[in-house]
Amino acid sequence: MSKWFAIARRRLLLFFISGLFLAVLVNACTNSASPGTGTTAASAGSSPTAVPTVVRLDYAYYNPVSLVLKEKGWLEEDLAKTNIKVEWVLSQGSNKALEFLNGSSIDFGSTSGASALIAKANGNPIKSIYVYSKPEWTALVTTANSSIQKVADLKGKKVAATRGTDPFIFLLRALDQVGLTAKDVEIVPLPHADGKAALEKGDVDAWAGLDPFMAQTEVEKASKLFFRNPKLISQGFLNVREAFAKQYPEQVSQVLTAYEKARKWAIANPSELKQVVIKASKLTEAVATKQLEERTDISNSSIGDEQKAVISAAGDVLKKSGVIENSVDVITVVNNLIDPQYVAKVAKS
């Protein structure tokens, strides 16, 4: 009996040693750089620098620079040098871009500045690092034969708006200027394109519009922009997930370098820019002309004190409307949101 016990004990010991060796081997393989880990080593024989396997950006019809960058493929060319892939996701509004950022579906997203402020105040971990445009991309719109002439005429009316976007915030600020609030109108929450359709069908009395859909209904349906005020409109911000920026600062610089190339190309080639926008968004030339030549300024990409002042001004109205909690310190949130270091670095280089 002792003989069989000794044999069994030796077999058990050998099994344990084999299992321990296999575990060490697997652990060593797992910790080595591979495509499945989400990072790769920057170069062999040197200190490994983690880089992402993929960079995910949105493109949006309200961000013409993103359309140029996607069309030209300059970012893909640059990131391919370190085996990084690029993925593009369509954002149909600031609310969708912020939703994608918060869910880590994208790393960079295009929004309005005021929308980014709301998201940051509500815990979305983002940084605003670049200005892709200074647009007059929103106004209050009604049909050609409507009796609505001014903001005060909206009392008791149905107004379509996409919550969490600059047009929605613009509507709140416009109402506030005439002593009204969101409670004085019936806000119908619809995506931008659906809001335009609802206005044209007569399902709502007015719409907080967004280009290019706003330009489209102007040109094709003679819709009226009955209230305009560029001072109430925040600029177009490119945002990055905080975690991504902290882990991959070099790739943030690479993205902004490519963005700058696309922006400068767009300024130098306005006719070609228009064709890129028409191709991507299926607009007519008349609509694209109205959006780009009349209401879009892409001459500046730096972000800092000017942008802080613009979005801070919306804070009081957003608090009064309950969009941001009254206890929120807007100035602190704005300072934590806007981070000019990345675009400043690109400008120097």
Side-chain angles (χ1 to χ4, degrees):
M1 184 71 176
S2 59
K3 176 182 177 182
W4 291 111
F5 179 80
I7 292 172
R9 186 173 61 182
R10 283 197 297 272
R11 288 179 176 175
L12 182 61
L13 182 60
L14 286 171
F15 179 81
F16 175 78
I17 292 172
S18 299
L20 182 62
F21 174 79
L22 181 60
V24 171
L25 181 62
V26 169
N27 186 61
C29 292
T30 301
N31 288 331
S32 64
S34 68
T37 63
T39 61
T40 59
S43 60
S46 63
S47 299
T49 301
V51 299
T53 56
V54 61
V55 172
R56 298 158 300 176
L57 306 91
D58 78 342
Y59 65 103
Y61 304 140
Y62 52 85
N63 177 1
V65 181
S66 72
L67 302 180
V68 171
L69 187 56
K70 182 175 182 291
E71 170 76 14
K72 296 298 182 180
W74 291 322
L75 183 61
E76 285 85 345
E77 291 175 9
D78 186 31
L79 294 184
K81 297 171 186 176
T82 45
N83 297 316
I84 302 173
K85 296 180 180 179
V86 175
E87 291 181 1
W88 293 94
V89 177
L90 175 64
S91 287
Q92 297 279 18
S94 294
N95 59 324
K96 299 306 296 183
L98 290 163
E99 179 184 315
F100 294 151
L101 284 164
N102 198 37
S104 298
S105 299
I106 57 175
D107 305 308
F108 296 85
S110 313
T111 73
S112 71
S115 300
L117 167 63
I118 294 173
K120 186 73 170 180
N122 290 324
N124 195 333
I126 57 172
K127 290 284 187 182
S128 298
I129 59 173
Y130 184 86
V131 172
Y132 59 81
S133 73
K134 184 179 180 180
E136 188 191 356
W137 54 17
T138 186
L140 299 185
V141 189
T142 192
T143 55
N145 58 357
S146 172
S147 62
I148 295 173
Q149 300 292 326
K150 56 187 182 300
V151 177
D153 295 339
L154 293 177
K155 187 172 183 178
K157 304 293 187 182
K158 291 183 178 181
V159 185
T162 308
R163 294 187 184 277
T165 67
D166 217 34
F168 174 73
I169 299 163
F170 182 83
L171 170 63
L172 296 181
R173 298 188 70 183
L175 292 170
D176 183 70
Q177 285 194 338
V178 296
L180 299 177
T181 71
K183 295 179 181 179
D184 294 306
V185 300
E186 182 182 344
I187 295 179
V188 181
L190 291 171
H192 297 298
D194 294 344
K196 179 182 83 76
L199 176 71
E200 292 174 350
K201 290 190 294 184
D203 294 338
V204 296
D205 302 295
W207 169 51
L210 180 73
D211 272 338
F213 306 112
M214 186 169 71
Q216 190 175 38
T217 195
E218 269 190 285
V219 171
E220 297 176 359
K221 302 294 183 180
S223 296
K224 299 183 301 183
L225 276 55
F226 69 92
F227 179 75
R228 300 171 70 170
N229 189 340
K231 293 181 180 179
L232 301 185
I233 299 172
S234 63
Q235 298 173 19
F237 285 7
L238 184 69
N239 309 283
V240 63
R241 293 190 299 110
E242 281 190 82
F244 184 95
K246 184 177 180 180
Q247 189 171 5
Y248 309 118
E250 182 58 33
Q251 278 63 57
V252 175
S253 294
Q254 286 179 294
V255 168
L256 293 193
T257 297
Y259 247 92
E260 274 295 87
K261 184 175 182 178
R263 184 183 68 86
K264 290 176 180 178
W265 180 92
I267 292 172
N269 300 278
S271 297
E272 291 87 343
L273 168 63
K274 190 187 302 183
Q275 294 308 311
V276 169
V277 172
I278 289 171
K279 177 183 175 182
S281 55
K282 307 298 189 294
L283 298 175
T284 64
E285 183 150 352
V287 172
T289 298
K290 184 171 284 291
Q291 177 193 357
L292 295 172
E293 296 183 8
E294 297 182 20
R295 299 201 282 251
T296 301
D297 178 3
I298 58 173
S299 62
N300 172 68
S301 61
S302 62
I303 193 167
D305 291 341
E306 178 189 344
Q307 290 71 33
K308 288 181 181 180
V310 170
I311 63 173
S312 295
D316 289 341
V317 173
L318 294 172
K319 282 186 176 184
K320 286 167 64 175
S321 303
V323 177
I324 293 177
E325 292 290 335
N326 199 49
S327 59
V328 170
D329 185 334
V330 171
I331 300 302
T332 298
V333 173
V334 170
N335 287 333
N336 288 332
L337 171 68
I338 292 180
D339 191 344
Q341 64 171 309
Y342 299 102
V343 71
K345 178 182 176 182
V346 169
K348 286 180 180 179
S349 63

